[in-house]
Amino acid sequence: MIRILVIEDEQRVATLLQQGLEETGYQVATAFDGEMGLRLFRSATFDLVISDVILPGMNGFELCKEIRALPPSIFLY
């Protein structure tokens, strides 16, 4: 099953994305800020990350930089 990480600080938007993706057959995890998203990304394997740009704490661009800086072995499953 394809696993998707949604990082969105507006709970209503995150819930709508999660419901729509799950109805389509995807497994979805949700984070409400960049730091939580990075922790989730490090703790599990995801096929896709969907992130808002404007997030509390760490914005979406900083989050992408942090994910890209992780060792390539984290992306192998």
Side-chain angles (χ1 to χ4, degrees):
M1 177 175 285
I2 294 177
R3 298 191 66 200
I4 299 174
L5 174 58
V6 173
I7 308 165
E8 169 59 62
D9 60 326
E10 292 187 39
Q11 189 161 353
R12 182 172 170 259
V13 174
T15 300
L16 288 172
L17 281 169
Q18 183 173 3
Q19 288 174 346
L21 291 166
E22 287 176 343
E23 287 174 5
T24 310
Y26 299 108
Q27 186 177 8
V28 180
T30 305
F32 300 105
D33 62 55
E35 293 166 354
M36 179 193 279
L38 185 58
R39 282 193 306 273
L40 280 173
F41 185 84
R42 287 180 173 157
S43 70
T45 302
F46 293 97
D47 300 292
L48 177 68
V49 175
I50 300 172
S51 177
D52 190 359
V53 173
I54 301 170
L55 295 166
M58 177 187 306
N59 71 41
F61 295 118
E62 293 167 336
L63 174 64
C64 287
K65 280 185 187 178
E66 291 290 327
I67 288 173
R68 293 187 72 185
L70 292 171
S73 60
I74 199 169
F75 301 106
L76 301 176
Y77 45 96

